[in-house]
Amino acid sequence: MGTLSVNQNKLQKRLRRQAGEAIADFNMIEDGDKVMVCLSGGKDSYTMLDVLLYLQKVAPIKFDLVAVNMDQKQPGFPEHVLPAYLGSIGVEYHIVEKDTYSVVKEKIPEGKTTCSLCSRLRRGTLYTFADEIGATKMALGHHRDDILETFFLNMFHGGTLKAMPPKLRADDGRNVVIRPLAYCSEADIEAYAKLKEFPIIPCNLCGSQENLQRKVVKEMLQEWERKTPGRTEIMFRALQNVVPSQLADRNLFDFKSLKIDDSATPRFLDVMNL
């Protein structure tokens, strides 16, 4: 890649700055950490690795990076692409082979959504491998749009107000998951992936899956952003500014104990004595 244009340079700096801010805000990476960077071969994980390699050079702390890809034995999966790329940039890596493809095809009826089971199987395998290699953090490539989409999916279909947090400890306490791209937009990541000419590997396990609810939510958010530019950023900021007393979760706020404060200053003044 040659010299960057002004806009390209701004794009690169913006992604690096936003990732650095997210890492600092949530204390994602600490001195001495071994970070397992989970690579799918998609634009998000390539961008995450690229940004983390830069931050590793300039950060005031020392941490190690090891790239890990899970070969799920999908027919036609180009096994050579990631090893060739990672070898060319000198990054330590592992390829974990696990035939989850056959399990998904066996368990999920034709035409049904496969993403949920596929992701659970992949996540479990990667959690175990992170433990085996002594990784203290697992980095996933989810970005701001992914987090918002998950929020609306949970609200519309699960009846819960939750998303994907930038930092998460696994239920068994053995793994800490981080999402360094939590502040980054998908549009910026897509533009950066094209700029860097990453060797993208498409996910062809499930085909296009046109009826995925995530796709519906994504289109809804994109339409909102087209009509009101900046709305996506505002909605994401809302996830960081939760006011429990203005919601209705009785476990989060003690509504039952609310009563008049007899010691509060009276609202009305005695105008006759002014």
Side-chain angles (χ1 to χ4, degrees), residues 48-225:
M48 175 176 63
L49 175 61
D50 184 272
V51 170
L52 287 177
L53 286 170
Y54 168 77
L55 294 177
Q56 185 185 40
K57 295 176 183 177
V58 302
I61 60 173
K62 299 293 183 183
F63 59 92
D64 296 324
L65 297 173
V66 55
V68 174
N69 168 256
M70 184 173 163
D71 180 355
Q72 297 177 265
K73 296 305 175 185
Q74 299 166 229
F77 180 77
E79 298 177 1
H80 65 285
V81 172
L82 275 169
Y85 174 75
L86 295 169
S88 71
I89 61 174
V91 172
E92 178 188 352
Y93 70 90
H94 298 276
I95 305 297
V96 180
E97 297 187 6
K98 186 80 169 181
D99 187 5
T100 60
Y101 175 86
S102 298
V103 177
V104 171
K105 285 299 185 182
E106 177 186 343
K107 300 293 184 182
I108 303 297
E110 193 67 32
K112 296 293 184 179
T113 301
T114 60
C115 290
S116 178
L117 176 59
C118 179
S119 62
R120 286 202 306 273
L121 293 172
R122 184 171 62 248
R123 187 165 56 246
T125 302
L126 291 173
Y127 277 178
T128 301
F129 189 73
D131 209 16
E132 290 175 2
I133 64 174
T136 52
K137 304 286 171 59
M138 273 180 60
L140 303 181
H142 298 121
H143 45 69
R144 186 182 69 191
D145 300 68
D146 287 326
I147 293 172
L148 273 176
E149 288 163 16
T150 301
F151 172 77
F152 281 103
L153 281 169
N154 284 322
M155 183 167 64
F156 293 161
H157 302 286
T160 58
L161 288 180
K162 67 177 184 178
M164 293 188 293
K167 185 178 181 181
L168 172 72
R169 184 172 63 189
D171 292 340
D172 63 4
R174 298 291 301 173
N175 304 98
V176 172
V177 173
I178 60 174
R179 296 181 168 98
L181 301 183
Y183 290 174
C184 302
S185 73
E186 183 173 21
D188 277 353
I189 292 170
E190 187 170 3
Y192 190 68
K194 290 179 180 177
L195 170 65
K196 298 286 286 187
E197 298 181 341
F198 295 134
I200 304 297
I201 301 174
C203 176
N204 58 4
L205 171 63
C206 52
S208 59
Q209 298 239 309
E210 292 296 328
N211 294 323
L212 280 180
Q213 288 300 324
R214 181 172 290 275
K215 184 175 185 294
V216 175
V217 170
K218 178 187 286 290
E219 291 173 350
M220 178 192 75
L221 294 176
Q222 289 173 342
E223 180 63 18
W224 285 356
E225 184 67 22

